[in-house]
Amino acid sequence: MKLSATILALAIYVSLATAQSQEWGQCGGIGWAGSTTCVSGTVCTVINAYYSQCLPARPSSECTGPTSTASIPPAPTGSNSNALARAAGKLYFGTATDNSELSDAAYVAILSDDSYFGQLTPANSMKWDATEPEQGVFTFSGGDQIVSQAKAHSQIMRGHNCVWYNQLPSWVSNGGFTSAQLTSIIQNHCSTLVSHYKGEIITHAFETEPFNDDGTWRSDVFYNTLGTSYVDIALQAARAADPGAKIYINDYNIEMTGAKATSMLNLIKDLKSRGIPVDGVGLQCHFIVGEVPTSLQSIMQQFTALGVEVAITELDIRMTLPASTALLAQQETDYKNVISACKAVSGCVGVTVWDYTDKYSWVPSTFSGQGEACPWDANLQKKPAYSGITAAWA
Ligand code: 9MR
């Protein structure tokens, strides 16, 4: 009796260990008694000490950064912001936008002018709470609307975002997952999101805001469950889902020399040394008038020296209200300095403002008493800041 139970256990063990694991299935890790080989077309990849997984095999060239398969539209002519950015050799001058804003005809008229904007980022509608509100239930209608808007006006799309501590549905943020469960949840989310937009998006900011301002890792459901390996998991899933899209890590307060920038530089070095795919760093650039960091250009150069490109992904420059002629003039200088820094760094591919108009800026609702952070005012009129942008590109 005892012997036959042992034989049965052995037989189960042998059959588990000999059947190949399926794509995305587990193939190793401490305590794992199942198969350590993967079905054809996949490679058993160590995610962490407790979990190895069959990931789609990729040509090694994908680890050094793809050329995007999303096409770059023809450059517009003239002296508006995107036309000048293209003439300066950049891919775009762009803006964030949001779905609720697309019913504002006057706003959309300017948004749709590719001589002003050659690129759009969805401010909210590709985030986790919008795209997978319930586990396994995906909704892409909001993101699709922004993609259609961009395509109709020859504008490039940047995706935003795959893994972020904020705007998570409660089924994710409440946690309670094993590391294997959360690994598979991240993979399924990033993979489904990126696959849905395959070929449509030049760049995804897949991993957003991993660090606290002191450079330590942010405590969130991802880090608390998986440690730093969640970054690898998200980046690898994103690359596998659309090898033609560039993958960025995006953060704020990395635009100046300091602990946070150092942590991001170290993260990029570490990812590169381990062959984890990462193509770019997004410097958000949510600045304050008169306080644009003087080290912006040199920080961008430090990132590009590591073999990644950079982009300014969420630029706005806020002031304490009310605005004055002096503050608006300083803001013009500040915008000019930020654009000039990108222009001067060959690996800086473009600049995105975090919505072009004060009418739809996130700033006043977040920073009490502050606002007027964008280059167009709340009446959709250009401010001196816009002249700073064009002067810098020209
Ligand atoms: O612009 C976004 C705003 O509408 C949302 O309410 C807010 C919620 O977190 O997120 C804003 O966008 C953020 C971006 O996704 C990541 N970097 C900071 C941006 C400003 O908060």
Side-chain angles (χ1 to χ4, degrees), residues 44-49 51-53 232 236:
C44 188
T45 307
V46 177
I47 304 296
N48 56 47
Y51 198 76
S52 295
Q53 190 176 34
D232 302 9
Q236 285 172 318

mmCIF file of all heavy atoms in Angstrom, residues 44-49 51-53 232 236:
data_model
loop_
_atom_site.group_PDB
_atom_site.id
_atom_site.type_symbol
_atom_site.label_atom_id
_atom_site.label_comp_id
_atom_site.label_asym_id
_atom_site.label_seq_id
_atom_site.Cartn_x
_atom_site.Cartn_y
_atom_site.Cartn_z
ATOM 1 N N CYS A 44 12.514 29.313 -21.324
ATOM 2 C CA CYS A 44 12.336 29.363 -19.865
ATOM 3 C C CYS A 44 13.210 30.486 -19.311
ATOM 4 O O CYS A 44 14.429 30.489 -19.464
ATOM 5 C CB CYS A 44 12.715 28.019 -19.231
ATOM 6 S SG CYS A 44 12.295 27.951 -17.478
ATOM 7 N N THR A 45 12.572 31.469 -18.695
ATOM 8 C CA THR A 45 13.262 32.687 -18.272
ATOM 9 C C THR A 45 13.090 32.861 -16.765
ATOM 10 O O THR A 45 11.974 32.770 -16.248
ATOM 11 C CB THR A 45 12.642 33.906 -19.002
ATOM 12 O OG1 THR A 45 12.657 33.634 -20.403
ATOM 13 C CG2 THR A 45 13.402 35.184 -18.710
ATOM 14 N N VAL A 46 14.211 33.105 -16.064
ATOM 15 C CA VAL A 46 14.138 33.303 -14.616
ATOM 16 C C VAL A 46 13.530 34.681 -14.342
ATOM 17 O O VAL A 46 14.067 35.704 -14.759
ATOM 18 C CB VAL A 46 15.548 33.219 -13.982
ATOM 19 C CG1 VAL A 46 15.475 33.500 -12.480
ATOM 20 C CG2 VAL A 46 16.168 31.862 -14.251
ATOM 21 N N ILE A 47 12.379 34.691 -13.674
ATOM 22 C CA ILE A 47 11.755 35.964 -13.305
ATOM 23 C C ILE A 47 12.253 36.367 -11.923
ATOM 24 O O ILE A 47 12.653 37.502 -11.693
ATOM 25 C CB ILE A 47 10.211 35.852 -13.299
ATOM 26 C CG1 ILE A 47 9.707 35.367 -14.664
ATOM 27 C CG2 ILE A 47 9.571 37.167 -12.892
ATOM 28 C CD1 ILE A 47 9.964 36.294 -15.824
ATOM 29 N N ASN A 48 12.229 35.423 -10.987
ATOM 30 C CA ASN A 48 12.844 35.620 -9.682
ATOM 31 C C ASN A 48 13.160 34.214 -9.130
ATOM 32 O O ASN A 48 12.894 33.224 -9.801
ATOM 33 C CB ASN A 48 11.941 36.446 -8.744
ATOM 34 C CG ASN A 48 10.561 35.823 -8.594
ATOM 35 O OD1 ASN A 48 10.447 34.625 -8.380
ATOM 36 N ND2 ASN A 48 9.525 36.645 -8.726
ATOM 37 N N ALA A 49 13.727 34.168 -7.918
ATOM 38 C CA ALA A 49 14.174 32.872 -7.393
ATOM 39 C C ALA A 49 13.024 31.870 -7.306
ATOM 40 O O ALA A 49 13.228 30.663 -7.389
ATOM 41 C CB ALA A 49 14.805 33.076 -6.014
ATOM 42 N N TYR A 51 10.274 31.841 -9.331
ATOM 43 C CA TYR A 51 9.409 31.749 -10.510
ATOM 44 C C TYR A 51 10.195 31.912 -11.802
ATOM 45 O O TYR A 51 10.779 32.967 -12.067
ATOM 46 C CB TYR A 51 8.341 32.851 -10.415
ATOM 47 C CG TYR A 51 7.142 32.616 -11.303
ATOM 48 C CD1 TYR A 51 6.175 31.684 -10.953
ATOM 49 C CD2 TYR A 51 6.975 33.321 -12.496
ATOM 50 C CE1 TYR A 51 5.065 31.464 -11.755
ATOM 51 C CE2 TYR A 51 5.873 33.105 -13.306
ATOM 52 C CZ TYR A 51 4.922 32.181 -12.927
ATOM 53 O OH TYR A 51 3.830 31.960 -13.715
ATOM 54 N N SER A 52 10.192 30.859 -12.605
ATOM 55 C CA SER A 52 10.707 30.970 -13.976
ATOM 56 C C SER A 52 9.533 30.700 -14.902
ATOM 57 O O SER A 52 8.615 29.944 -14.552
ATOM 58 C CB SER A 52 11.804 29.947 -14.237
ATOM 59 O OG SER A 52 12.908 30.210 -13.422
ATOM 60 N N GLN A 53 9.588 31.280 -16.071
ATOM 61 C CA GLN A 53 8.401 31.262 -16.904
ATOM 62 C C GLN A 53 8.763 31.121 -18.380
ATOM 63 O O GLN A 53 9.800 31.616 -18.823
ATOM 64 C CB GLN A 53 7.681 32.597 -16.686
ATOM 65 C CG GLN A 53 6.319 32.626 -17.289
ATOM 66 C CD GLN A 53 5.618 33.910 -16.958
ATOM 67 O OE1 GLN A 53 6.269 34.943 -16.856
ATOM 68 N NE2 GLN A 53 4.314 33.860 -16.834
ATOM 69 N N ASP A 232 11.121 43.965 -14.733
ATOM 70 C CA ASP A 232 11.518 43.014 -15.785
ATOM 71 C C ASP A 232 10.277 42.372 -16.404
ATOM 72 O O ASP A 232 10.170 42.226 -17.626
ATOM 73 C CB ASP A 232 12.366 41.864 -15.219
ATOM 74 C CG ASP A 232 13.628 42.320 -14.513
ATOM 75 O OD1 ASP A 232 13.781 43.523 -14.299
ATOM 76 O OD2 ASP A 232 14.444 41.447 -14.181
ATOM 77 N N GLN A 236 9.380 42.837 -20.300
ATOM 78 C CA GLN A 236 9.474 41.660 -21.182
ATOM 79 C C GLN A 236 8.125 41.344 -21.828
ATOM 80 O O GLN A 236 8.059 41.001 -23.010
ATOM 81 C CB GLN A 236 9.990 40.452 -20.380
ATOM 82 C CG GLN A 236 11.474 40.570 -20.098
ATOM 83 C CD GLN A 236 11.990 39.499 -19.156
ATOM 84 O OE1 GLN A 236 11.351 39.169 -18.169
ATOM 85 N NE2 GLN A 236 13.169 38.987 -19.434
#
